[in-house]
Amino acid sequence: MKPLNNNSVRKGYLRFSGFLIICVSVSVFCFYSYMKTASAEVKIILAKTMEYDNIYTTELNTAVTVDSIYQYMILMNSSPKINDLLLQSVVSNRKMQLQNKINGLNEQDFLLYKKLAGNINVFLGVKDSIRLAEKEEAVVREDLMRCVRENREISRKLKVGGIVYERK
């Protein structure tokens, strides 16, 4: 025996099945779209991460280079055993290498290092001036000590000879 509303029950099942298929299809499409968008974002994030890692690595290498230049600059005028002219040449060469490396990079990321490299010439000029002033001071000190010695010898000779030289 068939129920009286068999036709309407069957239509209800078909309509429910149709809506279920549409709902599942929309859900699968939404999930597919989400996964596609997420994978695109992950690719972009990975690309940016690689870019930032490269910038970070370059920044660390640049910091090490600047530190080594600074250490060489500290050694200048610190000991008479160190050849300051050779050390100044090494610092200048390293500074030029640093500037060449920085010029090839994004200026926004390495602005501080670019300014530091530009001011190394000022630092070298000051160090060189200090070195020359110290040499000149040593020469003047030697001349002064020689004059004092000669003055003492002449004063002794004058006293021995019977002539007394009086200082005012």
Side-chain angles (χ1 to χ4, degrees):
M1 262 235 150
K2 285 185 180 180
L4 294 176
N5 60 355
N6 186 22
N7 222 4
S8 65
V9 169
R10 193 175 15 175
K11 285 182 183 179
Y13 279 133
L14 286 176
R15 195 170 23 172
F16 173 75
S17 298
F19 285 138
L20 184 63
I21 289 173
I22 291 173
C23 185
V24 168
S25 299
V26 168
S27 297
V28 167
F29 177 74
C30 287
F31 183 72
Y32 173 76
S33 299
Y34 169 77
M35 292 305 288
K36 196 70 165 170
T37 304
S39 67
E41 287 180 1
V42 166
K43 286 180 185 177
I44 292 171
I45 289 172
L46 288 176
K48 283 293 186 182
T49 302
M50 290 297 291
E51 179 184 343
Y52 293 145
D53 285 345
N54 288 337
I55 290 172
Y56 181 70
T57 303
T58 307
E59 193 170 303
L60 285 178
N61 291 337
T62 306
V64 168
T65 304
V66 169
D67 285 344
S68 70
I69 292 172
Y70 181 70
Q71 291 300 323
Y72 282 127
M73 288 174 60
I74 287 175
L75 287 176
M76 286 179 150
N77 303 330
S78 63
S79 172
K81 295 179 181 178
I82 296 174
N83 186 351
D84 288 331
L85 295 176
L86 180 63
L87 197 58
Q88 189 171 1
S89 173
V90 169
V91 169
S92 292
N93 289 338
R94 292 211 175 189
K95 179 199 70 120
M96 291 306 295
Q97 291 171 354
L98 175 67
Q99 281 183 330
N100 289 338
K101 188 188 329 180
I102 289 174
N103 286 337
L105 301 172
N106 185 1
E107 185 172 329
Q108 184 179 4
D109 294 328
F110 296 95
L111 186 61
L112 174 66
Y113 295 113
K114 192 169 188 171
K115 286 184 178 182
L116 280 174
N119 288 332
I120 287 177
N121 286 337
V122 175
F123 299 145
L124 288 177
V126 169
K127 285 284 196 176
D128 193 41
S129 297
I130 290 171
R131 181 182 61 81
L132 292 175
E134 285 176 348
K135 281 186 176 182
E136 187 176 327
E137 178 187 5
V139 168
V140 169
R141 182 178 289 135
E142 285 294 320
D143 285 346
L144 180 63
M145 295 302 288
R146 185 182 47 79
C147 287
V148 168
R149 271 194 314 270
E150 288 176 0
N151 188 18
R152 285 182 187 158
E153 288 177 18
I154 291 174
S155 293
R156 285 184 199 143
K157 286 180 184 178
L158 289 175
K159 285 183 182 179
V160 171
I163 302 173
V164 178
Y165 174 74
E166 293 183 19
R167 293 187 189 173
K168 293 183 181 181

